[in-house]
């Protein structure tokens, strides 16, 4: 068993590993293409789950000589009743590094707009096109080949490693990451890396998320003929006035800036509007609209809600209507400190392998890291990608062997040595 202790020798070792991984290149591309031929959509995306894809991956891992542990969620909405989660452990003991990739995908959208069949990935002009190649196929395959390299060089990592391939990331994580947390597998003192968001340079480490607050407003007025508005009470007018007021007041009251985030401010956006009346000449008796609020972590969701409720009361009086407020989502997420050891270790690895200077950043919200941070577990989100997740003609580049190979080795390289 090889245990490298000094920086110089470990650096030479790293060069050898990188060369070896370069040699995996064709095999990695083929494996990714085969992997992405198998759709894996959750039931709320109109699919039948991830089991077929997980079985394929498990078989692959076993053919590389790994023992695969399963921690499956149970879900009667899919025909098999199973939402599979795969784990391969490398090394024993506590203080593990977990790498969470997800095998499920989002639907391809309008097939006519794709230049290729999204479920038969095409390698062309140094790129690989297909649904799920970036999000999150490349990370799934990267972990697989990172393990292969560890085995080939018989490397004992500083921290024991758990590579994990989960279901249900795109539709709430209840049967994936949250299930693994409920089972108590990830513990305080462990580190988590989710290679599921990044940029083409590979120099961004996500350590924080804005709080998410979704608001649904329903205005109850009185329907009437379009020519006799005085006989009704136009719910749409109240709704429009409320939108304008909320937009102004929320931006005024919560105007702090934090350059960790892009944009550096809290955002308050009126988004979905439900249909009210189907014809022009009817005064709407009911009006429904939504706000999507993303708050800088220094603010509390409850303080926004207090202002919103005050505005609702004012509008109820002003227009003599009833307004109901529902809260479809209300999540706040603590940040991982920029000085935390996991950030330091990953930064070192990025400098060594990618030869770029990393920087920490925050995002608008919605990564699996939040579930771990709420449990006090330091978590980072990082990968190198083209930011094509969820788009038509999703792709990754393969031109200079950076995407897959460097992602593969960068994750654990700082933990190798
Ligand atoms: Zn993803």
């Amino acid at each position: 068993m090889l245990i490298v202790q000094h920086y110089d020798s470990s650096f030479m070792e790293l060069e050898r590993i990188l060369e070896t991984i370069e040699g995996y290149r064709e095999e990695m591309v083929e494996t990714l293409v085969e992997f992405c031929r198998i759709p894996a959509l959750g039931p709320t995306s109109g699919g039948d789950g991830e089991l077929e894809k997980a079985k394929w991956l498990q078989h692959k891992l076993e053919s590389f000589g790994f023992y695969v542990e399963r921690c499956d969620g149970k879900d009667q909405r899919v025909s098999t009743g199973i939402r599979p989660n795969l784990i391969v452990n490398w090394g024993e003991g506590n203080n593990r590094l977990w790498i969470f990739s997800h095998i499920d995908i989002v639907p391809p959208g309008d097939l006519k707009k794709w230049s290729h069949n999204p479920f038969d990935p095409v390698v062309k002009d140094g790129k690989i096109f297909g649904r799920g190649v970036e999000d999150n196929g490349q990370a799934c395959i990267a972990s697989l080949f990172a393990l292969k390299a560890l085995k080939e060089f018989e490397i004992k990592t500083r921290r024991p490693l758990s590579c994990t391939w989960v279901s249900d990331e795109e539709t709430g994580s209840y049967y994936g990451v949250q299930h693994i947390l409920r089972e108590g597998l990830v513990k305080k003192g462990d580190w988590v890396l989710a290679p599921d968001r990044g940029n083409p340079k590979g120099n961004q480490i996500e350590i924080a998320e804005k709080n998410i607050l979704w608001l649904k407003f329903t205005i109850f007025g009185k329907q009437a003929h379009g020519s006799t508005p005085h006989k009704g009470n136009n719910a749409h007018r109240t709704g429009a006035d409320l939108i304008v007021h909320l937009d102004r007041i929320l931006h005024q009251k919560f105007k702090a800036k934090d350059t960790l985030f892009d944009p550096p401010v809290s955002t308050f956006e009126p988004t979905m509007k439900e249909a009210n009346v189907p014809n022009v000449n009817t005064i709407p008796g009911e009006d429904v609209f939504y706000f999507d609020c993303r708050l800088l972590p220094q603010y509390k969701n409850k303080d926004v809600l207090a202002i919103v409720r005050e505005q609702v009361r004012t509008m109820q009086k002003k227009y003599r209507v009833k307004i109901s407020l529902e809260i479809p989502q209300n999540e706040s997420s603590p940040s991982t400190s920029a000085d935390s050891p996991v950030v330091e270790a990953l930064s070192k690895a990025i400098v060594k392998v990618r030869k770029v200077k990393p920087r920490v950043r925050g995002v608008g919200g919605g990564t699996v890291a939040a579930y771990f941070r709420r449990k006090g577990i330091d978590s980072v989100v990082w990968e190198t990608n083209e930011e094509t997740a969820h788009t038509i003609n999703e792709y990754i580049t393969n031109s200079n062997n950076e995407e897959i190979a460097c992602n593969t080795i960068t994750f654990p390289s700082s933990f190798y040595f």
Side-chain angles (χ1 to χ4, degrees), residues 20-247:
T20 303
I21 283 182
E22 166 65 30
Y24 296 158
R25 182 176 173 178
E26 287 306 309
E27 194 186 350
M28 281 194 280
V29 171
E30 275 165 32
T31 308
L32 178 65
V33 166
E34 275 183 61
F35 181 66
C36 292
R37 280 198 187 115
I38 313 166
L41 285 157
T44 48
S45 294
D48 193 31
E50 302 88 350
L51 192 58
E52 193 191 342
K53 201 169 185 176
K55 277 186 172 167
W56 186 91
L57 185 64
Q58 179 165 355
H59 181 76
K60 196 86 191 167
L61 282 158
E62 286 167 353
S63 76
F64 284 179
F66 294 104
Y67 173 73
V68 179
E69 201 181 301
R70 293 273 292 266
C71 180
D72 297 348
K74 308 257 176 298
D75 185 356
Q76 290 316 314
R77 298 173 304 165
V78 295
S79 61
T80 59
I82 290 172
R83 307 295 296 278
N85 299 304
L86 276 53
I87 304 168
V88 170
N89 294 314
W90 183 257
E92 282 161 24
N94 296 325
N95 299 327
R96 311 191 70 80
L97 165 68
W98 291 81
I99 298 179
F100 277 90
S101 315
H102 66 88
I103 56 178
D104 61 315
I105 54 167
V106 293
D110 188 351
L111 291 174
K112 290 194 283 307
K113 290 190 177 146
W114 281 77
S115 54
H116 309 93
N117 177 355
F119 293 115
D120 191 8
V122 170
V123 185
K124 197 182 158 195
D125 304 329
K127 293 174 178 164
I128 307 167
F129 294 87
R131 175 52 89 227
V133 291
E134 173 174 302
D135 184 17
N136 195 216
Q138 66 167 347
C140 291
I141 301 309
S143 294
L144 175 71
F145 281 87
L147 284 169
K148 186 178 158 86
L150 286 172
K151 201 174 178 69
E152 204 165 315
F153 285 83
E154 295 188 319
I155 290 168
K156 184 177 190 305
T157 52
R158 262 191 197 163
R159 283 188 164 234
L161 182 70
S162 293
C163 286
T164 310
W165 296 263
V166 295
S167 293
D168 197 26
E169 192 275 341
E170 300 289 3
T171 45
S173 291
Y174 184 82
Y175 303 94
V177 157
Q178 292 195 63
H179 177 70
I180 287 175
L181 271 168
R182 285 194 297 270
E183 294 292 306
L185 297 184
V186 187
K187 299 187 172 71
K188 270 222 163 120
D190 288 355
W191 292 348
V192 169
L193 168 65
D196 197 19
R197 210 181 269 242
N199 67 349
K201 268 192 173 169
N203 67 346
Q204 282 181 352
I205 303 174
E206 187 263 287
I207 57 165
E209 291 182 18
K210 290 177 184 171
N211 302 335
I212 305 182
L213 183 61
W214 288 357
L215 306 170
K216 178 187 180 187
F217 300 89
T218 308
I219 324 280
F220 300 97
K222 190 178 172 208
Q223 188 168 317
H225 192 280
S227 64
T228 56
H230 58 287
K231 291 186 177 171
N233 188 344
N234 192 334
H236 190 29
R237 175 176 289 111
T238 307
D241 200 5
L242 182 56
I243 287 175
V244 172
H245 266 83
L246 286 173
D247 193 16

Side-chain angles (χ1 to χ4, degrees), residues 149-370:
L150 286 172
K151 201 174 178 69
E152 204 165 315
F153 285 83
E154 295 188 319
I155 290 168
K156 184 177 190 305
T157 52
R158 262 191 197 163
R159 283 188 164 234
L161 182 70
S162 293
C163 286
T164 310
W165 296 263
V166 295
S167 293
D168 197 26
E169 192 275 341
E170 300 289 3
T171 45
S173 291
Y174 184 82
Y175 303 94
V177 157
Q178 292 195 63
H179 177 70
I180 287 175
L181 271 168
R182 285 194 297 270
E183 294 292 306
L185 297 184
V186 187
K187 299 187 172 71
K188 270 222 163 120
D190 288 355
W191 292 348
V192 169
L193 168 65
D196 197 19
R197 210 181 269 242
N199 67 349
K201 268 192 173 169
N203 67 346
Q204 282 181 352
I205 303 174
E206 187 263 287
I207 57 165
E209 291 182 18
K210 290 177 184 171
N211 302 335
I212 305 182
L213 183 61
W214 288 357
L215 306 170
K216 178 187 180 187
F217 300 89
T218 308
I219 324 280
F220 300 97
K222 190 178 172 208
Q223 188 168 317
H225 192 280
S227 64
T228 56
H230 58 287
K231 291 186 177 171
N233 188 344
N234 192 334
H236 190 29
R237 175 176 289 111
T238 307
D241 200 5
L242 182 56
I243 287 175
V244 172
H245 266 83
L246 286 173
D247 193 16
R248 200 183 58 231
I249 286 172
L250 293 173
H251 282 102
Q252 264 169 12
K253 297 251 181 198
F254 303 93
K255 62 181 176 200
K257 282 193 179 170
D258 183 346
T259 52
L260 185 66
F261 293 88
D262 177 25
V265 289
S266 302
T267 56
F268 304 93
E269 290 297 307
T271 52
M272 190 157 69
K273 169 84 186 72
E274 287 182 12
N276 45 32
V277 288
N279 50 308
V280 178
N281 54 348
T282 295
I283 302 290
E286 207 174 298
D287 198 60
V288 182
F289 64 90
Y290 296 76
F291 258 72
D292 179 343
C293 311
R294 310 276 167 146
L295 291 173
L296 291 176
Q298 68 195 89
Y299 291 126
K300 293 209 160 38
N301 290 6
K302 71 175 176 46
D303 295 331
V304 172
L305 282 169
I307 305 258
V308 169
R309 291 205 169 97
E310 197 183 303
Q311 286 305 305
V312 163
R313 281 194 294 271
T314 307
M315 289 293 158
Q316 287 190 139
K317 265 192 207 146
K318 181 173 172 187
Y319 291 102
R320 296 172 192 216
V321 293
K322 262 212 78 64
I323 302 175
S324 95
L325 171 64
E326 290 161 73
I327 304 162
Q329 204 174 173
N330 184 0
E331 300 283 1
S332 44
S333 164
S335 308
T336 292
S337 162
D339 308 321
S340 63
V342 66
V343 174
E344 197 188 323
L346 180 59
S347 300
K348 261 194 220 161
I350 292 171
V351 170
K352 254 194 248 177
V353 179
R354 305 306 313 261
K355 316 259 190 294
V356 292
K357 195 172 175 302
R359 62 188 182 90
V360 292
R361 66 183 291 241
V363 294
T367 76
V368 295

